[in-house]
Amino acid sequence: MELQSLIYLFVGASFALYIGIAIWSKAGSTSEFYVAGGGVHPVANGMATAADWMSAASFISLAGIVSLLGRDSGAYLMGWTGGYVLLAMLLAPYLRKFGKFTVPDFVGDRYYSDVARTVAVVCVIFVSFTYVAGQMRGVGIVFSRFLQVDINTGVVIGMGIVFIYAVLGGMKGITYTQVAQYCVLIVAYTIPAIFLSLQVTGDFLPQLGFGGTIEFAFDNGVREIPAGTYVLHALDQSFKDLGFSIVYTEGRAGVWNTFLLTVALMCGTAGLPHVIVRFFTVPTVRDARISAGWALLFIALLYTVCPAVGAFARLNLIKNTQNIEYAAWTQECSADQAAALAAAHDNPAVDAARADCAGQWFKTWENSGLLAWMDKNGDGKIQIANGAAFKGKPSFDGDNRGASGERLLKNEAVPAPAGQAIENEVYFDRDIIVLANPEIASLPNWVIALVAAGGLAAALSTAAGLLLVISSSISHDLLGRVMFKDAETDKSKLTDSQELMAARVAAAVAIGVAGYLGINPPAFVAQVVAFAFGLAAASFFPVIINGIFDKRMNKEGAIAGMAVGLAFTFIYIVLNVFVDKSGTYTMFGIKATGIGTIGMVLHFVVAYFVSRATAAPPQDIQDMVENIRIPRGAAPSTHAH
């Protein structure tokens, strides 16, 4: 079947499945809307947690980071997986025994303060909106290529889909939708990885192929890399030959920044509100532990494959794109050429990407604005090397075409670094590497269509979870427990139906804001997500850890710590990323992606000293901490709803 028809079939079928599940599992109460009624099976919850966790950053952008940065990308792999271990061991069982719907609910009751609850809501909004901006951007990227619309239109379509099953189904609908989305995304990630591993190394398992040898010889533009060369050695040699300042297996970030980024991602993971709330959806404390174990297994299935996908992608990009004649390569296929390519698709070992008309994917991504070629030397061939092709992101000159048929750019060309013979002529948005990789490698059309469905599943699953956290924090915590609280009973004045309506309205507004951020993203997907994790590490992780393990921690310490940690981290990110990118506001050379670790340390220090300088918590609060700190038994504490 023709590629575009397959894409419509795969994406349409998956959307129909998600919406059908949302209608079937429509939430009828606040309990079902917030925590799916607390009756989800641990294995199903493990799948839903993995889907909630493995966002567009994991599916779409992480392999792009591995492909781009090589060794430096290890911080993301270690931080995002290691953080889940922290969450499963240090937080999940204790929070489940406490029995609250949301993180602000835990903060408000543990620290016996509506002010603390309100500060926590503010933290949720900052973290979740920063995170969801990356997800909506990922949705737009997938739609822009596979449904052949621009990114902005893609974001709007994604908003509509999320609106249907997040606003209608709540956590109940999202949970069972995410089970389906996990199945789609893991199949869509591993099957192309197996094809690529067989094609590049002959090994069936990508994890083994990553350390294996290449099965083909190829010219990287300077020399021929012989068959039998190890994958990583081939990348290192190509990087040297093409003038890259550092080889693939070396790092440039430095030990200090790598450490800070890893810690920020780990602790940010453990403090993410939309992941923590998943452990309130299972019946018992024991189920929360079991659920965490299953989720870690499901996550590992993708994260152990990701380094191989990133390495294969970079190798394929050089092998199949370097020194290709653009005009012939991107022309529309004749019937005979199309038949030859289709035959090649049935046999991934065939090197079809060098054939004329095999590069139509290049022109398609070029038309989407996420890839551009500037023929600097006028030879009509594509060259990839170190250095920027031009200043800024692609600014196309309408639909005007160059001599080879490429879209002309208004951007000013950037010359090659001094002493470098080959000039870089290609701009690649790093977030497209996973989506484009099957096309670069000429994999079968059904594999390419599967990747489209998987990318959308990953982005939409996390976006839905984040939007639900935002809506529940506003409706349940801010409106129900602060603004409309009955002072005598300490309960919400809102009826169940009123709070449910408020949650749905808040979710709808949040989707609108998320769509705007997706259309106007502050950075590429994984970087935006790293900022969100830094904010979570600086605001939520310490206040939850202190709330569980420090009986002496009081409301004054918690409020001061959250305020200082969030404000410091947010201001540092804004100054370094959006106000001045020259490094004027850098503290000791710390990058904005790792500053959350420093914000977290400040939070712990400020909270400790403020709590010791003020009155101890009431005795009943200290007794409650003793109760939740030993997570035995099936029943939540008496302080639950």
Side-chain angles (χ1 to χ4, degrees), residues 259-319:
F259 171 77
L260 291 177
L261 175 57
T262 302
V263 172
L265 295 176
M266 288 180 67
C267 296
T269 295
L272 283 177
H274 75 290
V275 175
I276 289 174
V277 75
R278 293 239 55 94
F279 296 102
F280 301 142
T281 64
V282 293
T284 68
V285 176
R286 179 175 179 271
D287 288 335
R289 287 185 178 276
I290 296 172
S291 176
W294 279 108
L296 192 56
L297 173 64
F298 293 137
I299 290 167
L301 293 178
L302 186 144
Y303 269 66
T304 55
V305 172
C306 180
V309 172
F312 297 156
R314 193 61 179 266
L315 197 64
N316 273 325
L317 183 63
I318 296 170
K319 168 181 174 284

Short mmCIF file of all heavy atoms in Angstrom, two decimals, residues 259-319:
data_model
loop_
_atom_site.label_atom_id
_atom_site.label_comp_id
_atom_site.label_asym_id
_atom_site.label_seq_id
_atom_site.Cartn_x
_atom_site.Cartn_y
_atom_site.Cartn_z
N PHE A 259 27.00 15.95 35.64
CA PHE A 259 26.50 15.52 36.95
C PHE A 259 25.26 16.31 37.34
O PHE A 259 24.25 15.74 37.78
CB PHE A 259 27.60 15.70 38.00
CG PHE A 259 27.13 15.49 39.41
CD1 PHE A 259 26.93 14.22 39.91
CD2 PHE A 259 26.89 16.58 40.24
CE1 PHE A 259 26.49 14.02 41.21
CE2 PHE A 259 26.44 16.40 41.54
CZ PHE A 259 26.24 15.11 42.02
N LEU A 260 25.31 17.63 37.19
CA LEU A 260 24.17 18.47 37.59
C LEU A 260 22.92 18.15 36.77
O LEU A 260 21.81 18.10 37.30
CB LEU A 260 24.53 19.95 37.45
CG LEU A 260 25.57 20.50 38.42
CD1 LEU A 260 25.88 21.96 38.10
CD2 LEU A 260 25.10 20.36 39.86
N LEU A 261 23.09 17.95 35.46
CA LEU A 261 21.96 17.61 34.61
C LEU A 261 21.37 16.26 35.00
O LEU A 261 20.15 16.10 35.09
CB LEU A 261 22.38 17.60 33.14
CG LEU A 261 21.32 17.14 32.13
CD1 LEU A 261 20.05 17.98 32.23
CD2 LEU A 261 21.87 17.17 30.71
N THR A 262 22.24 15.28 35.24
CA THR A 262 21.76 13.94 35.62
C THR A 262 20.96 14.00 36.91
O THR A 262 19.86 13.42 37.01
CB THR A 262 22.95 12.98 35.78
OG1 THR A 262 23.69 12.92 34.57
CG2 THR A 262 22.45 11.57 36.11
N VAL A 263 21.47 14.70 37.92
CA VAL A 263 20.77 14.79 39.21
C VAL A 263 19.45 15.54 39.04
O VAL A 263 18.42 15.15 39.61
CB VAL A 263 21.66 15.49 40.26
CG1 VAL A 263 20.88 15.76 41.54
CG2 VAL A 263 22.88 14.64 40.57
N ALA A 264 19.46 16.62 38.25
CA ALA A 264 18.23 17.38 38.03
C ALA A 264 17.16 16.52 37.37
O ALA A 264 15.98 16.57 37.73
CB ALA A 264 18.51 18.62 37.19
N LEU A 265 17.56 15.71 36.39
CA LEU A 265 16.60 14.84 35.70
C LEU A 265 16.11 13.73 36.62
O LEU A 265 14.92 13.38 36.61
CB LEU A 265 17.24 14.25 34.44
CG LEU A 265 17.60 15.25 33.33
CD1 LEU A 265 18.31 14.54 32.19
CD2 LEU A 265 16.38 15.97 32.82
N MET A 266 17.00 13.18 37.44
CA MET A 266 16.60 12.11 38.36
C MET A 266 15.61 12.63 39.40
O MET A 266 14.54 12.05 39.60
CB MET A 266 17.83 11.53 39.07
CG MET A 266 18.72 10.67 38.20
SD MET A 266 20.13 10.01 39.09
CE MET A 266 19.32 8.89 40.22
N CYS A 267 15.98 13.70 40.06
CA CYS A 267 15.11 14.22 41.13
C CYS A 267 13.87 14.88 40.55
O CYS A 267 12.81 14.86 41.19
CB CYS A 267 15.90 15.21 42.00
SG CYS A 267 17.27 14.42 42.87
N GLY A 268 13.98 15.45 39.36
CA GLY A 268 12.81 16.00 38.70
C GLY A 268 11.81 14.92 38.35
O GLY A 268 10.59 15.09 38.49
N THR A 269 12.32 13.78 37.89
CA THR A 269 11.46 12.63 37.62
C THR A 269 10.68 12.23 38.86
O THR A 269 9.46 12.00 38.81
CB THR A 269 12.32 11.43 37.16
OG1 THR A 269 12.93 11.75 35.93
CG2 THR A 269 11.47 10.19 36.99
N ALA A 270 11.38 12.14 39.98
CA ALA A 270 10.74 11.71 41.22
C ALA A 270 9.75 12.75 41.75
O ALA A 270 8.93 12.43 42.61
CB ALA A 270 11.81 11.44 42.28
N GLY A 271 9.82 13.97 41.23
CA GLY A 271 8.92 15.01 41.69
C GLY A 271 7.86 15.43 40.70
O GLY A 271 7.15 16.41 40.92
N LEU A 272 7.74 14.69 39.59
CA LEU A 272 6.77 15.08 38.55
C LEU A 272 5.34 14.77 39.00
O LEU A 272 4.99 13.61 39.25
CB LEU A 272 7.06 14.35 37.24
CG LEU A 272 8.22 14.88 36.42
CD1 LEU A 272 8.43 14.01 35.20
CD2 LEU A 272 8.00 16.32 36.00
N PRO A 273 4.49 15.77 39.08
CA PRO A 273 3.12 15.56 39.58
C PRO A 273 2.31 14.57 38.75
O PRO A 273 1.56 13.77 39.30
CB PRO A 273 2.50 16.96 39.53
CG PRO A 273 3.64 17.90 39.50
CD PRO A 273 4.75 17.19 38.79
N HIS A 274 2.45 14.60 37.42
CA HIS A 274 1.61 13.75 36.59
C HIS A 274 2.02 12.28 36.67
O HIS A 274 1.23 11.39 36.34
CB HIS A 274 1.61 14.24 35.14
CG HIS A 274 2.85 13.92 34.38
ND1 HIS A 274 4.06 14.54 34.64
CD2 HIS A 274 3.10 13.06 33.35
CE1 HIS A 274 4.97 14.08 33.82
NE2 HIS A 274 4.42 13.19 33.03
N VAL A 275 3.27 12.00 37.10
CA VAL A 275 3.69 10.62 37.30
C VAL A 275 3.32 10.16 38.71
O VAL A 275 2.84 9.04 38.91
CB VAL A 275 5.21 10.48 37.06
CG1 VAL A 275 5.68 9.06 37.39
CG2 VAL A 275 5.56 10.82 35.62
N ILE A 276 3.52 11.02 39.69
CA ILE A 276 3.20 10.67 41.08
C ILE A 276 1.72 10.30 41.23
O ILE A 276 1.36 9.35 41.92
CB ILE A 276 3.56 11.83 42.02
CG1 ILE A 276 5.09 11.96 42.13
CG2 ILE A 276 2.97 11.63 43.41
CD1 ILE A 276 5.55 13.17 42.90
N VAL A 277 0.85 11.03 40.56
CA VAL A 277 -0.59 10.79 40.72
C VAL A 277 -1.00 9.41 40.23
O VAL A 277 -2.01 8.86 40.65
CB VAL A 277 -1.40 11.89 39.98
CG1 VAL A 277 -1.38 11.67 38.48
CG2 VAL A 277 -2.84 11.93 40.48
N ARG A 278 -0.18 8.79 39.39
CA ARG A 278 -0.50 7.46 38.87
C ARG A 278 -0.53 6.42 39.99
O ARG A 278 -1.19 5.39 39.86
CB ARG A 278 0.53 7.04 37.82
CG ARG A 278 0.48 7.88 36.55
CD ARG A 278 0.22 7.00 35.36
NE ARG A 278 -0.98 6.21 35.52
CZ ARG A 278 -2.19 6.57 35.09
NH1 ARG A 278 -2.35 7.69 34.44
NH2 ARG A 278 -3.23 5.78 35.27
N PHE A 279 0.20 6.65 41.07
CA PHE A 279 0.25 5.66 42.14
C PHE A 279 -0.95 5.77 43.08
O PHE A 279 -1.08 4.98 44.01
CB PHE A 279 1.56 5.79 42.91
CG PHE A 279 2.75 5.48 42.05
CD1 PHE A 279 3.54 6.49 41.52
CD2 PHE A 279 3.05 4.17 41.71
CE1 PHE A 279 4.61 6.20 40.70
CE2 PHE A 279 4.12 3.87 40.88
CZ PHE A 279 4.90 4.89 40.37
N PHE A 280 -1.81 6.76 42.84
CA PHE A 280 -3.06 6.84 43.59
C PHE A 280 -4.19 6.09 42.88
O PHE A 280 -5.29 6.00 43.39
CB PHE A 280 -3.48 8.30 43.78
CG PHE A 280 -2.48 9.14 44.50
CD1 PHE A 280 -2.25 10.46 44.13
CD2 PHE A 280 -1.75 8.61 45.55
CE1 PHE A 280 -1.32 11.25 44.80
CE2 PHE A 280 -0.82 9.40 46.23
CZ PHE A 280 -0.61 10.70 45.86
N THR A 281 -3.91 5.57 41.67
CA THR A 281 -4.96 4.93 40.88
C THR A 281 -5.07 3.43 41.15
O THR A 281 -5.94 2.77 40.60
CB THR A 281 -4.73 5.15 39.37
OG1 THR A 281 -3.50 4.52 39.00
CG2 THR A 281 -4.67 6.63 39.04
N VAL A 282 -4.14 2.86 41.96
CA VAL A 282 -4.19 1.43 42.28
C VAL A 282 -4.85 1.23 43.64
O VAL A 282 -4.88 2.15 44.46
CB VAL A 282 -2.78 0.81 42.27
CG1 VAL A 282 -2.22 0.80 40.86
CG2 VAL A 282 -1.84 1.57 43.19
N PRO A 283 -5.38 0.03 43.91
CA PRO A 283 -6.17 -0.16 45.13
C PRO A 283 -5.39 -0.07 46.44
O PRO A 283 -5.91 0.43 47.43
CB PRO A 283 -6.74 -1.58 44.95
CG PRO A 283 -6.67 -1.85 43.50
CD PRO A 283 -5.47 -1.13 43.00
N THR A 284 -4.13 -0.58 46.49
CA THR A 284 -3.43 -0.69 47.77
C THR A 284 -2.00 -0.19 47.68
O THR A 284 -1.46 0.04 46.59
CB THR A 284 -3.39 -2.16 48.25
OG1 THR A 284 -2.54 -2.90 47.36
CG2 THR A 284 -4.78 -2.77 48.29
N VAL A 285 -1.37 -0.06 48.85
CA VAL A 285 0.05 0.31 48.91
C VAL A 285 0.92 -0.74 48.23
O VAL A 285 1.86 -0.42 47.49
CB VAL A 285 0.49 0.49 50.39
CG1 VAL A 285 1.97 0.77 50.48
CG2 VAL A 285 -0.31 1.60 51.05
N ARG A 286 0.60 -2.00 48.48
CA ARG A 286 1.35 -3.10 47.84
C ARG A 286 1.25 -3.00 46.32
O ARG A 286 2.24 -3.19 45.60
CB ARG A 286 0.81 -4.44 48.32
CG ARG A 286 1.49 -5.66 47.72
CD ARG A 286 0.97 -6.94 48.35
NE ARG A 286 1.61 -8.11 47.75
CZ ARG A 286 1.16 -8.75 46.69
NH1 ARG A 286 0.04 -8.32 46.09
NH2 ARG A 286 1.79 -9.79 46.20
N ASP A 287 0.06 -2.70 45.82
CA ASP A 287 -0.12 -2.55 44.37
C ASP A 287 0.69 -1.39 43.81
O ASP A 287 1.13 -1.43 42.66
CB ASP A 287 -1.60 -2.36 44.05
CG ASP A 287 -2.42 -3.63 44.23
OD1 ASP A 287 -1.82 -4.71 44.15
OD2 ASP A 287 -3.63 -3.52 44.46
N ALA A 288 0.88 -0.35 44.62
CA ALA A 288 1.69 0.78 44.17
C ALA A 288 3.13 0.34 43.93
O ALA A 288 3.77 0.74 42.95
CB ALA A 288 1.65 1.91 45.20
N ARG A 289 3.66 -0.50 44.83
CA ARG A 289 5.02 -1.01 44.66
C ARG A 289 5.12 -1.91 43.43
O ARG A 289 6.05 -1.80 42.62
CB ARG A 289 5.45 -1.80 45.89
CG ARG A 289 5.76 -0.94 47.12
CD ARG A 289 6.30 -1.82 48.24
NE ARG A 289 6.65 -1.04 49.41
CZ ARG A 289 7.82 -0.42 49.56
NH1 ARG A 289 8.72 -0.46 48.62
NH2 ARG A 289 8.07 0.25 50.67
N ILE A 290 4.15 -2.82 43.29
CA ILE A 290 4.14 -3.73 42.13
C ILE A 290 4.02 -2.94 40.83
O ILE A 290 4.71 -3.22 39.84
CB ILE A 290 2.99 -4.75 42.27
CG1 ILE A 290 3.22 -5.64 43.49
CG2 ILE A 290 2.85 -5.59 41.00
CD1 ILE A 290 2.04 -6.54 43.82
N SER A 291 3.14 -1.95 40.84
CA SER A 291 2.93 -1.10 39.67
C SER A 291 4.22 -0.40 39.27
O SER A 291 4.56 -0.30 38.08
CB SER A 291 1.84 -0.08 39.96
OG SER A 291 1.67 0.81 38.90
N ALA A 292 4.96 0.09 40.26
CA ALA A 292 6.23 0.78 39.99
C ALA A 292 7.23 -0.17 39.33
O ALA A 292 7.96 0.22 38.41
CB ALA A 292 6.80 1.34 41.28
N GLY A 293 7.27 -1.42 39.80
CA GLY A 293 8.18 -2.39 39.20
C GLY A 293 7.84 -2.68 37.74
O GLY A 293 8.73 -2.74 36.89
N TRP A 294 6.55 -2.88 37.47
CA TRP A 294 6.13 -3.11 36.08
C TRP A 294 6.46 -1.91 35.19
O TRP A 294 6.93 -2.07 34.07
CB TRP A 294 4.64 -3.40 36.02
CG TRP A 294 4.29 -4.82 36.36
CD1 TRP A 294 3.69 -5.29 37.49
CD2 TRP A 294 4.53 -5.98 35.55
NE1 TRP A 294 3.53 -6.65 37.45
CE2 TRP A 294 4.04 -7.10 36.26
CE3 TRP A 294 5.12 -6.17 34.30
CZ2 TRP A 294 4.13 -8.40 35.75
CZ3 TRP A 294 5.19 -7.46 33.79
CH2 TRP A 294 4.70 -8.56 34.51
N ALA A 295 6.20 -0.72 35.71
CA ALA A 295 6.47 0.49 34.92
C ALA A 295 7.95 0.60 34.58
O ALA A 295 8.31 0.96 33.45
CB ALA A 295 6.01 1.73 35.69
N LEU A 296 8.81 0.29 35.54
CA LEU A 296 10.25 0.36 35.29
C LEU A 296 10.67 -0.63 34.20
O LEU A 296 11.51 -0.32 33.34
CB LEU A 296 11.02 0.09 36.59
CG LEU A 296 12.52 0.40 36.58
CD1 LEU A 296 12.77 1.85 36.19
CD2 LEU A 296 13.10 0.11 37.96
N LEU A 297 10.07 -1.82 34.22
CA LEU A 297 10.35 -2.81 33.18
C LEU A 297 9.90 -2.29 31.82
O LEU A 297 10.63 -2.38 30.82
CB LEU A 297 9.64 -4.12 33.51
CG LEU A 297 9.69 -5.20 32.41
CD1 LEU A 297 11.13 -5.66 32.17
CD2 LEU A 297 8.81 -6.40 32.79
N PHE A 298 8.67 -1.75 31.76
CA PHE A 298 8.15 -1.26 30.48
C PHE A 298 8.98 -0.09 29.95
O PHE A 298 9.18 0.05 28.74
CB PHE A 298 6.69 -0.84 30.65
CG PHE A 298 5.76 -1.99 30.93
CD1 PHE A 298 4.76 -1.87 31.89
CD2 PHE A 298 5.88 -3.19 30.26
CE1 PHE A 298 3.89 -2.93 32.16
CE2 PHE A 298 5.02 -4.26 30.52
CZ PHE A 298 4.03 -4.13 31.48
N ILE A 299 9.46 0.76 30.85
CA ILE A 299 10.30 1.89 30.44
C ILE A 299 11.63 1.41 29.91
O ILE A 299 12.16 1.92 28.90
CB ILE A 299 10.50 2.86 31.63
CG1 ILE A 299 9.18 3.59 31.94
CG2 ILE A 299 11.60 3.88 31.36
CD1 ILE A 299 9.18 4.33 33.26
N ALA A 300 12.21 0.39 30.57
CA ALA A 300 13.52 -0.12 30.17
C ALA A 300 13.50 -0.69 28.76
O ALA A 300 14.53 -0.65 28.05
CB ALA A 300 13.99 -1.17 31.16
N LEU A 301 12.35 -1.21 28.32
CA LEU A 301 12.27 -1.76 26.98
C LEU A 301 12.61 -0.72 25.92
O LEU A 301 13.21 -1.02 24.89
CB LEU A 301 10.86 -2.32 26.73
CG LEU A 301 10.46 -3.55 27.54
CD1 LEU A 301 9.02 -3.95 27.22
CD2 LEU A 301 11.40 -4.71 27.29
N LEU A 302 12.21 0.53 26.17
CA LEU A 302 12.52 1.59 25.21
C LEU A 302 13.91 2.19 25.46
O LEU A 302 14.68 2.41 24.52
CB LEU A 302 11.46 2.69 25.26
CG LEU A 302 11.59 3.79 24.21
CD1 LEU A 302 10.20 4.27 23.75
CD2 LEU A 302 12.35 5.00 24.74
N TYR A 303 14.25 2.40 26.72
CA TYR A 303 15.48 3.13 27.01
C TYR A 303 16.75 2.33 26.72
O TYR A 303 17.82 2.92 26.51
CB TYR A 303 15.47 3.61 28.47
CG TYR A 303 14.88 4.99 28.60
CD1 TYR A 303 13.54 5.22 28.31
CD2 TYR A 303 15.66 6.08 28.96
CE1 TYR A 303 13.00 6.48 28.40
CE2 TYR A 303 15.12 7.35 29.05
CZ TYR A 303 13.78 7.54 28.77
OH TYR A 303 13.24 8.80 28.84
N THR A 304 16.67 1.00 26.71
CA THR A 304 17.84 0.22 26.33
C THR A 304 18.03 0.16 24.82
O THR A 304 19.12 -0.15 24.33
CB THR A 304 17.74 -1.21 26.88
OG1 THR A 304 16.52 -1.82 26.44
CG2 THR A 304 17.79 -1.21 28.40
N VAL A 305 16.96 0.47 24.08
CA VAL A 305 17.04 0.49 22.62
C VAL A 305 17.47 1.85 22.10
O VAL A 305 18.14 1.97 21.06
CB VAL A 305 15.67 0.09 22.01
CG1 VAL A 305 15.65 0.29 20.50
CG2 VAL A 305 15.34 -1.35 22.35
N CYS A 306 17.16 2.90 22.85
CA CYS A 306 17.35 4.27 22.39
C CYS A 306 18.79 4.60 21.94
O CYS A 306 18.97 5.22 20.89
CB CYS A 306 16.89 5.24 23.48
SG CYS A 306 17.08 6.97 23.03
N PRO A 307 19.84 4.22 22.70
CA PRO A 307 21.20 4.56 22.24
C PRO A 307 21.52 3.97 20.87
O PRO A 307 22.19 4.61 20.05
CB PRO A 307 22.10 3.95 23.33
CG PRO A 307 21.23 3.86 24.53
CD PRO A 307 19.85 3.57 24.02
N ALA A 308 21.04 2.74 20.62
CA ALA A 308 21.28 2.12 19.32
C ALA A 308 20.57 2.88 18.21
O ALA A 308 21.15 3.14 17.14
CB ALA A 308 20.81 0.66 19.34
N VAL A 309 19.32 3.28 18.47
CA VAL A 309 18.56 4.03 17.46
C VAL A 309 19.27 5.34 17.12
O VAL A 309 19.39 5.71 15.95
CB VAL A 309 17.13 4.31 17.97
CG1 VAL A 309 16.39 5.25 17.01
CG2 VAL A 309 16.35 3.01 18.10
N GLY A 310 19.76 6.05 18.14
CA GLY A 310 20.46 7.31 17.90
C GLY A 310 21.72 7.13 17.08
O GLY A 310 22.02 7.91 16.16
N ALA A 311 22.51 6.08 17.41
CA ALA A 311 23.76 5.83 16.68
C ALA A 311 23.48 5.40 15.24
O ALA A 311 24.13 5.89 14.30
CB ALA A 311 24.57 4.76 17.41
N PHE A 312 22.51 4.49 15.06
CA PHE A 312 22.17 4.06 13.71
C PHE A 312 21.67 5.23 12.87
O PHE A 312 21.95 5.34 11.68
CB PHE A 312 21.10 2.96 13.75
CG PHE A 312 21.52 1.69 14.43
CD1 PHE A 312 20.57 0.84 14.97
CD2 PHE A 312 22.86 1.34 14.53
CE1 PHE A 312 20.95 -0.34 15.60
CE2 PHE A 312 23.25 0.17 15.16
CZ PHE A 312 22.30 -0.67 15.71
N ALA A 313 20.90 6.12 13.50
CA ALA A 313 20.35 7.27 12.78
C ALA A 313 21.47 8.16 12.26
O ALA A 313 21.43 8.62 11.11
CB ALA A 313 19.42 8.07 13.70
N ARG A 314 22.46 8.45 13.11
CA ARG A 314 23.56 9.33 12.67
C ARG A 314 24.38 8.67 11.57
O ARG A 314 24.77 9.32 10.60
CB ARG A 314 24.44 9.67 13.87
CG ARG A 314 25.43 10.81 13.61
CD ARG A 314 24.67 12.10 13.27
NE ARG A 314 25.56 13.22 13.04
CZ ARG A 314 25.90 14.11 13.99
NH1 ARG A 314 25.42 13.98 15.22
NH2 ARG A 314 26.70 15.11 13.72
N LEU A 315 24.60 7.36 11.71
CA LEU A 315 25.37 6.64 10.69
C LEU A 315 24.61 6.61 9.36
O LEU A 315 25.18 6.86 8.29
CB LEU A 315 25.63 5.21 11.18
CG LEU A 315 26.73 4.42 10.46
CD1 LEU A 315 28.08 5.06 10.67
CD2 LEU A 315 26.75 2.99 10.97
N ASN A 316 23.30 6.35 9.43
CA ASN A 316 22.49 6.31 8.21
C ASN A 316 22.40 7.68 7.55
O ASN A 316 22.36 7.78 6.32
CB ASN A 316 21.08 5.81 8.54
CG ASN A 316 20.97 4.30 8.49
OD1 ASN A 316 21.62 3.65 7.68
ND2 ASN A 316 20.17 3.74 9.37
N LEU A 317 22.35 8.72 8.36
CA LEU A 317 22.28 10.07 7.80
C LEU A 317 23.51 10.37 6.96
O LEU A 317 23.42 10.92 5.85
CB LEU A 317 22.14 11.09 8.93
CG LEU A 317 21.98 12.55 8.52
CD1 LEU A 317 20.69 12.75 7.73
CD2 LEU A 317 22.00 13.46 9.75
N ILE A 318 24.69 10.02 7.48
CA ILE A 318 25.94 10.25 6.75
C ILE A 318 26.02 9.33 5.53
O ILE A 318 26.34 9.77 4.41
CB ILE A 318 27.15 10.03 7.68
CG1 ILE A 318 27.14 11.06 8.80
CG2 ILE A 318 28.46 10.11 6.89
CD1 ILE A 318 28.15 10.79 9.91
N LYS A 319 25.72 8.05 5.75
CA LYS A 319 25.86 7.05 4.68
C LYS A 319 24.92 7.32 3.51
O LYS A 319 25.32 7.19 2.34
CB LYS A 319 25.59 5.67 5.27
CG LYS A 319 25.43 4.55 4.25
CD LYS A 319 25.15 3.24 4.93
CE LYS A 319 24.84 2.13 3.94
NZ LYS A 319 23.49 2.23 3.38
#
